[in-house]
């Protein structure tokens, strides 16, 4: 196994190779993960954190500069959560001189397949200070009724 990564093709996918270009994803079969649109730009490589608490699955997305009307949160029948949005290009004035343009515009869409324990009919979303928070409550897990058995002898 080579210690130098190959930058010209020959992609390796060895989990034990520290220079492997593929990252092992334990949720590969669970998540629809990212669905990228052709016009996706650098800004809309939107990063989303997904954490699971005892009560819910919580998603947090950084969407700076977007209003809540510019972001959509949708739930599909087959337990797929879809978060999408769009930042439009600012209108240019012919008299303006641009020295630098670093903010990007375009569309984004991310999709996540939720586990069986998600309450799809009780999804809630809120947005504050450019951070979208989507909360998907979990079904209550019934704790097994445990009965102590006395040992004779």
């Amino acid at each position: 196994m080579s210690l130098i990564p190959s930058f010209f093709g020959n992609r390796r996918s060895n989990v034990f190779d520290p220079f492997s270009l593929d990252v092992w994803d334990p949720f590969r079969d669970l998540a629809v993960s990212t669905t990228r649109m052709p016009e996706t730009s650098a800004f809309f490589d939107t990063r989303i954190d997904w954490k699971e608490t005892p009560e819910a699955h919580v998603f947090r997305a950084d969407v700076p500069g977007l209003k809540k009307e510019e972001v959509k949160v949708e739930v599909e029948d087959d337990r797929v959560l879809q978060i999408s949005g769009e930042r439009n290009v600012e209108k240019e004035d012919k008299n303006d001189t641009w020295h630098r343009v670093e903010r990007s515009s375009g569309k984004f869409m991310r999709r996540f397949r939720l586990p069986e324990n998600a309450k799809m009919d009780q999804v809630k979303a809120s947005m504050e200070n450019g951070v979208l928070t989507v909360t998907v409550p979990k079904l209550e897990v019934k704790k097994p009724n445990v009965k102590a058995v006395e040992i004779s002898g």
Side-chain angles (χ1 to χ4, degrees), residues 25 27-37 40 44-50 59 61 72-85 108-115 120 132 134 136:
D25 180 8
F27 302 104
R28 180 176 300 158
D29 296 330
L30 292 178
V32 178
S33 72
T34 61
T35 303
R36 297 176 186 226
M37 302 175 112
T40 300
F44 289 110
D45 240 353
T46 301
R47 305 286 186 210
I48 298 179
D49 296 335
W50 175 2
F59 296 83
K72 280 195 333 189
V73 177
E74 299 172 310
V75 177
E76 296 177 7
D77 289 337
D78 52 349
R79 293 186 339 274
V80 174
L81 173 70
Q82 179 174 302
I83 301 171
S84 60
F108 75 94
M109 180 172 62
R110 300 286 305 270
R111 295 166 52 93
F112 301 90
R113 182 171 309 281
L114 296 170
M120 300 303 292
L132 172 70
V134 179
V136 183

Side-chain angles (χ1 to χ4, degrees), residues 2-104:
S2 171
L3 293 179
I4 301 172
S6 173
F7 295 105
F8 305 102
N10 189 18
R11 290 192 67 169
R12 294 188 305 261
S13 61
N14 185 342
V15 175
F16 302 107
D17 183 355
F19 296 105
S20 175
L21 299 176
D22 292 330
V23 178
W24 177 66
D25 180 8
F27 302 104
R28 180 176 300 158
D29 296 330
L30 292 178
V32 178
S33 72
T34 61
T35 303
R36 297 176 186 226
M37 302 175 112
E39 61 271 5
T40 300
S41 64
F43 169 76
F44 289 110
D45 240 353
T46 301
R47 305 286 186 210
I48 298 179
D49 296 335
W50 175 2
K51 75 175 178 179
E52 182 175 355
T53 68
E55 300 81 30
H57 295 275
V58 180
F59 296 83
R60 287 204 174 90
D62 289 334
V63 288
L66 292 182
K67 299 176 193 146
K68 67 179 185 179
E69 297 80 21
E70 297 171 317
V71 178
K72 280 195 333 189
V73 177
E74 299 172 310
V75 177
E76 296 177 7
D77 289 337
D78 52 349
R79 293 186 339 274
V80 174
L81 173 70
Q82 179 174 302
I83 301 171
S84 60
E86 180 175 7
R87 174 184 284 163
N88 296 318
V89 180
E90 288 185 26
K91 293 187 172 133
E92 286 189 36
D93 186 354
K94 300 272 188 221
N95 299 325
D96 291 343
T97 302
W98 290 88
H99 294 280
R100 183 176 301 262
V101 177
E102 293 182 345
R103 297 181 330 131
S104 55

